[in-house]
Amino acid sequence: MQTSNIPLIVGSAAAGAAVCALVMTLRAKEAAPSSHAPNSETDFESAHSVVWRSIGGAMQASQLYLGDRLKLYSTLRAMCADEGSSVTAPELARASGLKVRWLREWMAQQAAMGVLVLLPGDGDDDDDLRYRLPRAMATVLADEASPEYDVALVQMVPALVSRAKTALPGAFATGLGLPYNDPDVSEAIDRAHRKHIHHCVLPRVLPAAQLPRGASVHAALAAGARVADLGCGGGSLVKVLAQAYPKSTFHGYEVSDQALACCATSLAGVPNAQAHDARNEPLGDA
């Protein structure tokens, strides 16, 4: 790859993430291999590494969050579907409706991070710098139907990091617990659960599950049963089971306002499924 194809990134969170990635790489190369276990009392290299890996991870997660939230990965997956196809920042801007000025830096950071591949070529202009989202990355970041899909929980990282600034200092002082009421946290958990529901619970767990006397759970649900899901989150499991077993009724219980709001949307139009606020509707009343 020619050096002229490496863009200069100045400012912004994307630049910071790229710089962190570079620092982490240099530190890893500086660490001399040793056959002896390090002494944690004097191993400053490992201590620095913990700090910089954490900073770099947070910066990189912030850019994954943007790519996911703005549907850039989905757009890139479609644009790079053909073998050998690639994308420039102006092309991505036209396809996404976003501005080249920010996509330029974001795409450069994604290449530095290892998500995108910057293809060989001449020139430093936006039209010269071509990027490709490899198939494996596209699947992990944008194919929700695949068992390899794995970006969902990135959605909750900014909200959890924000809590360290806004809520946790007070909680540490009072000892009080905190609810996880945040739209991104609730949706992230529910998105992650959907993959496991479709690729594990339905095809593997349910067929093998048995009741105490050896009866099939599948047969009981098919015949008609009342089922409670305690801590149902956004209601994905309740919805899927209700649709699969129309003779049974399913009740999801939650204490999170945001999760209950997700349930209201998810379970709308599913007659044999219902969500309950466990703070107001005890299990015995269902």
Side-chain angles (χ1 to χ4, degrees):
M1 183 180 297
Q2 300 184 18
T3 57
S4 62
N5 263 4
I6 303 177
L8 177 65
I9 314 172
V10 181
S12 83
V19 171
C20 283
L22 176 60
V23 171
M24 291 161 59
T25 301
L26 293 176
R27 284 194 175 276
K29 290 182 178 180
E30 289 172 358
S34 173
S35 58
H36 303 288
N39 183 344
S40 60
E41 298 294 334
T42 59
D43 186 5
F44 291 102
E45 187 63 45
S46 293
H48 286 298
S49 179
V50 168
V51 173
W52 279 98
R53 282 202 309 267
S54 300
I55 295 172
M59 297 292 284
Q60 291 176 343
S62 72
Q63 301 308 301
L64 288 173
Y65 175 87
L66 285 173
D68 180 55
R69 175 172 175 174
L70 299 176
K71 302 190 182 303
L72 290 170
Y73 295 130
S74 298
T75 303
L76 284 165
R77 178 183 175 225
M79 298 177 76
C80 295
D82 295 334
E83 184 175 354
S85 56
S86 59
V87 182
T88 65
E91 289 170 349
L92 182 57
R94 287 191 289 271
S96 65
L98 302 174
K99 300 300 182 182
V100 172
R101 184 258 181 272
W102 285 100
L103 290 174
R104 176 191 304 123
E105 297 195 32
W106 181 81
M107 294 176 79
Q109 183 275 332
Q110 293 287 282
M113 182 177 167
V115 174
L116 297 179
V117 174
L118 176 61
L119 302 182
D122 296 322
D124 297 324
D125 294 336
D126 287 334
D127 291 327
D128 299 320
L129 300 172
R130 303 202 66 86
Y131 298 87
R132 175 165 175 78
L133 181 65
R135 182 170 58 85
M137 276 291 180
T139 300
V140 168
L141 296 174
D143 186 359
E144 295 189 35
S146 170
E148 302 295 343
Y149 181 67
D150 205 23
V151 75
L153 290 182
V154 166
Q155 184 177 354
M156 71 180 183
V157 173
L160 296 181
V161 171
S162 176
R163 287 185 173 201
K165 177 180 179 181
T166 60
L168 288 178
F172 271 62
T174 64
L176 297 177
L178 293 172
Y180 73 92
N181 270 334
D182 183 279
D184 273 343
V185 174
S186 295
E187 187 175 342
I189 293 172
D190 209 48
R191 288 173 63 193
H193 284 174
R194 286 199 291 268
K195 180 182 81 169
H196 299 296
I197 290 168
H198 288 287
H199 296 287
C200 183
V201 174
L202 293 182
R204 298 169 60 186
V205 175
L206 275 181
Q210 293 183 334
L211 295 172
R213 295 186 179 181
S216 165
V217 170
H218 167 74
L221 292 174
R226 297 177 71 206
V227 180
D229 182 358
L230 308 184
C232 66
S236 288
L237 179 59
V238 171
K239 178 180 180 178
V240 169
L241 291 178
Q243 292 173 331
Y245 299 100
K247 291 184 178 181
S248 291
T249 57
F250 297 85
H251 300 266
Y253 285 82
E254 253 300 342
V255 296
S256 164
D257 292 327
Q258 296 296 337
L260 288 166
C262 290
C263 281
T265 300
S266 178
L267 301 181
V270 184
N272 59 327
Q274 186 177 356
H276 304 268
D277 186 336
R279 296 166 295 187
N280 303 321
E281 299 180 63
L283 179 61
D285 292 347

